[in-house]
Amino acid sequence: GRGRDLRPSTPRQIWLHRVMGISPPASWHTPLLLAPDGRRLSKRELDMDMGQLRERFAPAELTGQLAALLGLRPNAAPVTPRELAAQFSWGRVFKEDITLPARWPEGD
């Protein structure tokens, strides 16, 4: 998967692959997680990074939180990537960008 912000460059990248005689990889564009003020999360702005997330969540907790934000699960209960993959469907992934609540995760 690739972030939705990369969608405009995809045709150029497919063309370049074909010109070089390489099969382009399959790709899907996922919604972006946005800060509560609506801007794209970024390291440059010192937004939450994986190191901070690892300090706050066990792996299954983080996977559950992110799966719920994307629409893959009805709640943020912990889930392993293997369990999530077994029930994964692109049709359930939200199409629009996702703005994080001011206090994400809820109740934190």
Side-chain angles (χ1 to χ4, degrees), residues 26-106:
S27 61
W28 294 266
H29 294 90
T30 61
L32 299 176
L33 289 177
L34 304 176
D37 63 6
R39 67 183 168 73
R40 185 177 136 188
L41 295 175
S42 74
K43 290 182 278 187
R44 183 179 326 149
E45 299 294 327
L46 303 176
D47 289 313
M48 210 177 321
D49 65 16
M50 285 306 295
Q52 292 170 320
L53 292 171
R54 285 185 183 117
E55 289 175 8
R56 292 177 69 182
F57 301 103
E61 291 172 328
L62 180 57
T63 302
Q65 290 283 336
L66 294 173
L69 284 172
L70 283 169
L72 294 172
R73 299 196 32 108
N75 58 52
V79 63
T80 67
R82 185 176 307 251
E83 292 167 332
L84 187 60
Q87 56 188 331
F88 181 82
S89 167
W90 278 110
R92 291 173 36 211
V93 175
F94 293 139
K95 306 292 185 262
E96 301 298 321
D97 292 341
I98 300 154
T99 302
L100 292 175
R103 293 183 43 79
W104 183 80
E106 297 297 327

